[in-house]
């Protein structure tokens, strides 16, 4: 049993404050920018320096919009339908992983089509910094005492201030699993695979991990599964279909 009581605000000067969650987004933005600039310089992707800056800025805006819309629709529709003034208050939390992923994919597809770029090649490049961003995001969730696990009598649990019961540390489980996935993808990236394989492999494992881990998450269930599990299950089936059809060949 462990009690976590970390101030989610790193520092503040007047009305300006830096939180761990905002720090994650800053680090994610800078890491992705660095990776894409290097890929552009190495001719791995046909983007100019100016295009890289434009893409990264618009990508993060798309992620925030998608993440907020999904959270509004699938998690807190009743609340936000009567508190529309809080819809843009992302600093108060409420960002959906699946929505952020959808926003990133939709925007990237549009951007790649407009600029005649291979989407899957770009996806294979950006998915590694994205995996790191998701690891840090779960650590920020832990500090913010959000995305809570179910209460348990197990000795492996965390007490949060003003939150009843000792909870499964699912934020840590998720962070460890995503870090292992990042390490695995980095390990196999040097091998020659068909474009898009790294991207779809990431989607497969991240969806599978989310589906399984959410059984320990304190969420509302719909037909025995949470909204996050249903979305993960849909993504999992789509990814398996694509992998089997285009990347994995079986010989009987």
């Amino acid at each position: 049993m462990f009690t976590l009581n970390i101030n989610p605000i790193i520092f503040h000067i007047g009305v300006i404050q830096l939180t761990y969650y905002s720090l994650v987004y800053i680090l994610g933005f800078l890491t992705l920018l660095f990776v894409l600039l290097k890929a552009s310089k190495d001719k791995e992707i046909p983007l100019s320096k100016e295009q890289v800056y434009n893409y990264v800025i618009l990508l993060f805006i798309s992620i925030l919009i998608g993440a907020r819309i999904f959270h509004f629709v699938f998690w807190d529709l009743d609340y936000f339908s009567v508190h529309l003034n809080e819809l843009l208050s992302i600093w108060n939390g409420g960002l959906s992983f699946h929505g952020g992923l959808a926003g990133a994919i939709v925007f990237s597809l549009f951007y790649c089509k407009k600029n005649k770029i291979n989407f899957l090649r770009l996806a294979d490049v950006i998915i590694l910094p994205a995996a790191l961003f998701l690891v840090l995001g779960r650590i920020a969730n832990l500090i913010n005492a959000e995305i809570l696990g179910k209460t348990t009598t197990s000795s492996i649990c965390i007490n949060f201030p003003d939150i009843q019961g000792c909870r499964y540390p699912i934020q840590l489980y998720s962070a460890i699993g995503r870090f292992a996935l990042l390490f695995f993808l980095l390990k196999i990236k040097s091998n020659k695979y068909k474009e898009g394989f790294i991207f779809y492999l990431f989607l497969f494992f991240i969806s599978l991990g989310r589906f399984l881990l959410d059984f320990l998450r304190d969420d509302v269930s719909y037909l025995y599964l949470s909204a996050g599990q249903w979305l993960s299950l849909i993504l999992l089936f789509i990814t398996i279909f694509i992998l089997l059809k285009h990347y994995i060949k079986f010989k009987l």
Side-chain angles (χ1 to χ4, degrees):
M1 185 180 297
F2 177 75
T3 299
L4 184 73
N5 189 12
I6 300 176
N7 190 341
I9 301 174
I10 301 173
F11 69 84
H12 63 86
I13 303 173
V15 295
I16 300 175
Q17 64 181 26
L18 177 66
T19 65
Y20 285 100
Y21 209 86
S22 58
L23 180 61
V24 167
Y25 272 85
I26 293 170
L27 291 175
F29 177 89
L30 294 176
T31 303
L32 179 59
L33 187 62
F34 172 79
V35 169
L36 283 178
L37 286 173
K38 185 178 185 303
S40 173
K41 183 179 179 181
D42 296 342
K43 307 299 181 183
E44 189 175 354
I45 51 173
L47 286 174
S48 66
K49 187 175 181 180
E50 182 181 358
Q51 285 178 313
V52 168
Y53 279 99
N54 290 335
Y55 173 74
V56 172
I57 292 171
L58 293 174
L59 177 66
F60 267 80
I61 293 173
S62 301
I63 289 172
L64 290 173
I65 292 173
R68 197 60 171 168
I69 290 175
F70 268 57
H71 181 79
F72 170 82
V73 173
F74 293 105
W75 276 269
D76 275 321
L77 182 59
D78 292 338
Y79 178 81
F80 285 109
S81 61
V82 293
H83 297 86
L84 288 176
N85 60 309
E86 296 186 28
L87 189 57
L88 299 179
S89 303
I90 59 174
W91 50 87
N92 291 328
L95 296 173
S96 162
F97 159 72
H98 294 94
L101 178 64
I105 291 176
V106 170
F107 168 72
S108 295
L109 284 169
F110 170 79
Y111 190 88
C112 288
K113 184 176 181 180
K114 182 180 178 182
N115 293 278
K116 298 179 180 179
I117 300 168
N118 186 316
F119 166 75
L120 292 177
R121 184 182 300 174
L122 177 63
D124 280 347
V125 172
I126 69 175
I127 209 61
L128 295 176
L132 176 61
F133 168 76
L134 291 172
V135 172
L136 298 177
R138 278 297 183 253
I139 295 174
N141 291 144
L142 177 68
I143 294 172
N144 288 349
E146 56 192 8
I147 308 181
L148 297 172
K150 294 178 179 179
T151 57
T152 177
T153 57
S154 169
S155 59
I156 304 176
C157 63
I158 294 181
N159 280 309
F160 296 95
D162 304 320
I163 295 176
Q164 185 177 9
C166 202
R167 307 275 177 160
Y168 284 111
I170 61 168
Q171 307 95 329
L172 283 179
Y173 295 158
S174 181
I176 293 170
R178 291 175 175 185
F179 182 78
L181 176 57
L182 171 62
F183 181 79
F184 171 68
L185 294 177
L186 285 170
K187 192 75 173 176
I188 68 172
K189 188 178 184 295
S190 59
N191 299 327
K192 296 296 181 182
Y193 293 107
K194 186 178 177 180
E195 289 173 344
F197 181 68
I198 300 294
F199 171 65
Y200 287 118
L201 205 59
F202 166 83
L203 292 183
F204 170 78
F205 282 112
I206 205 76
S207 300
L208 179 63
R210 174 67 186 271
F211 176 78
L212 295 175
L213 191 57
D214 272 20
F215 283 110
L216 299 179
R217 182 166 163 172
D218 192 10
D219 274 343
V220 177
S221 294
Y222 307 92
L223 297 176
Y224 306 104
L225 298 176
S226 68
Q229 286 178 304
W230 283 114
L231 291 170
S232 295
L233 201 58
I234 293 170
L235 184 59
L236 189 61
F237 282 134
I238 292 173
T239 306
I240 290 174
F241 173 78
I242 293 173
L243 285 171
L244 291 178
K245 184 176 181 180
H246 297 288
Y247 295 93
I248 301 174
K249 305 297 182 182
F250 290 101
K251 293 183 179 180
L252 298 177

